[in-house]
Amino acid sequence: MINTIIHLVRNKEGIKVFWKLCKHELKCSYRGFLILYAITLLLAVMINPSIDSMFVVTLTLIYGLLLCVILIMSMYVIIKNYHTSMFAKPAYLTHTLPVSTTKLLIVKILVGLIWFALSYGVILASIIVIGLSVDNFDLQLLFKAFSHIHISWGAILYAVYTVLGVVESITLLYLVIDITHTTHIQRFRVPIAIMLFLIISWLSSEIMNMFINPGQGSLLQMVTSNAMIGQNINTTLLTDMTKLLILCGWELLLVCLYFFSGKYLIDHKIEVE
């Protein structure tokens, strides 16, 4: 996978094909997202926490539901687009493209990551918009506070870990879809895929804590409080940064394992509808 990315960077034609695939993936899914984003931001503009009325309470409830819908829809669109393009009738066109399976999977992972990032960005923007309607809310003070934040290496590693965690979830989703479309599974594909996703996620978490952090609970919980923004480099933080590096390495290992397992199934075991 890494060699493919390096090859794409060096090959101009490969980059053009890669971005064409990305644009195609985004065009297939952007309409639903734009509508949800627009409704969410519109509700955020209409909500004023300073006003105590039933109308505002109702809008707030709808807004809260929409935030959940955005995250759920991000997952749903990723699953639906992957299934349609790889296993439904349009899959015949996908598999005849002069593009390797590795490139196809990288494109789909990247687009999924883009939608998750945009969704979280819209949620953050809507929260700021609601904050603007609160009395005595000082936007300049907020920006000033952000400008004085010291970004530590721990915070950077935590951000990398978060991104790797999203990529790991996406690759695992693709893998369980690949597994349920092999010749060995003909019925109940959706419930089997859900069960596989939950079981594999649980097993990977247990294995990490068993071999990397035995007898001490969740490794992520131990580093979260000490590896965030604004801390000085000291012995405790260096220890937490080491643990964060281990977490990042573990997530990267899982991404590679899920990615190449899915690639093998697509190349040798899939069954197109």
Side-chain angles (χ1 to χ4, degrees):
M1 179 171 64
I2 296 174
N3 290 335
T4 302
I5 294 173
I6 294 173
H7 177 72
L8 281 171
V9 172
R10 293 178 177 177
N11 187 346
K12 291 183 179 180
E13 288 299 320
I15 292 175
K16 289 181 180 179
V17 174
F18 183 81
W19 285 116
K20 282 183 180 178
L21 288 172
C22 285
K23 288 179 182 178
H24 176 73
E25 288 286 327
L26 290 169
K27 285 180 180 178
C28 291
S29 54
Y30 78 95
R31 290 183 180 86
F33 279 107
L34 289 183
I35 293 172
L36 269 181
Y37 292 164
I39 294 174
T40 301
L41 292 174
L42 179 62
L43 283 175
V45 172
M46 296 172 66
I47 294 173
N48 188 344
S50 302
I51 300 175
D52 186 13
S53 69
M54 194 62 188
F55 178 69
V56 173
V57 172
T58 303
L59 287 180
T60 304
L61 289 174
I62 296 173
Y63 169 77
L65 288 174
L66 272 177
L67 296 188
C68 297
V69 170
I70 286 175
L71 297 178
I72 294 171
M73 185 175 174
S74 298
M75 192 75 70
Y76 171 76
V77 169
I78 289 171
I79 294 171
K80 183 177 181 296
N81 285 350
Y82 184 77
H83 173 268
T84 302
S85 62
M86 299 300 288
F87 302 108
K89 291 181 179 179
Y92 288 103
L93 177 60
T94 301
H95 293 295
T96 56
L97 291 172
V99 180
S100 66
T101 304
T102 302
K103 291 178 183 177
L104 282 174
L105 288 175
I106 290 174
V107 167
K108 292 182 180 299
I109 291 170
L110 178 60
V111 171
L113 192 60
I114 288 172
W115 282 127
F116 267 108
L118 286 175
S119 296
Y120 279 108
V122 169
I123 290 172
L124 179 60
S126 66
I127 292 172
I128 293 175
V129 169
I130 293 174
L132 291 174
S133 62
V134 178
D135 293 337
N136 300 322
F137 180 85
D138 192 339
L139 186 60
Q140 291 183 347
L141 187 62
L142 178 64
F143 286 132
K144 186 177 180 180
F146 274 112
S147 66
H148 285 84
I149 288 177
H150 170 67
I151 305 298
S152 67
W153 282 109
I156 294 172
L157 282 175
Y158 194 83
V160 171
Y161 168 76
T162 302
V163 173
L164 285 174
V166 175
V167 174
E168 183 255 328
S169 297
I170 294 172
T171 51
L172 178 55
L173 278 173
Y174 291 167
L175 175 60
V176 296
I177 295 172
D178 296 335
I179 293 172
T180 54
H181 281 82
T182 60
T183 55
H184 304 291
I185 301 176
Q186 301 291 336
R187 301 174 62 189
F188 308 113
R189 283 174 169 166
V190 173
I192 290 173
I194 294 172
M195 289 299 297
L196 282 173
F197 182 85
L198 295 175
I199 291 171
I200 295 173
S201 297
W202 176 77
L203 283 176
S204 65
S205 177
E206 288 299 309
I207 291 171
M208 180 190 70
N209 289 320
M210 185 184 301
F211 291 99
I212 299 177
N213 197 49
Q216 298 184 34
S218 171
L219 182 58
L220 179 59
Q221 291 176 358
M222 293 178 65
V223 301
T224 300
S225 60
N226 294 322
M228 296 305 290
I229 296 171
Q231 295 202 19
N232 297 320
I233 299 297
N234 51 37
T235 304
T236 303
L237 182 55
L238 286 174
T239 302
D240 289 335
M241 286 175 65
T242 302
K243 291 176 180 178
L244 270 173
L245 281 171
I246 294 173
L247 281 169
C248 290
W250 175 252
E251 290 293 335
L252 186 59
L253 177 64
L254 290 179
V255 168
C256 292
L257 177 63
Y258 298 156
F259 182 92
F260 288 109
S261 298
K263 179 181 180 299
Y264 173 80
L265 291 176
I266 292 171
D267 289 338
H268 300 94
K269 302 292 183 180
I270 69 163
E271 184 179 72
V272 179
E273 295 176 2

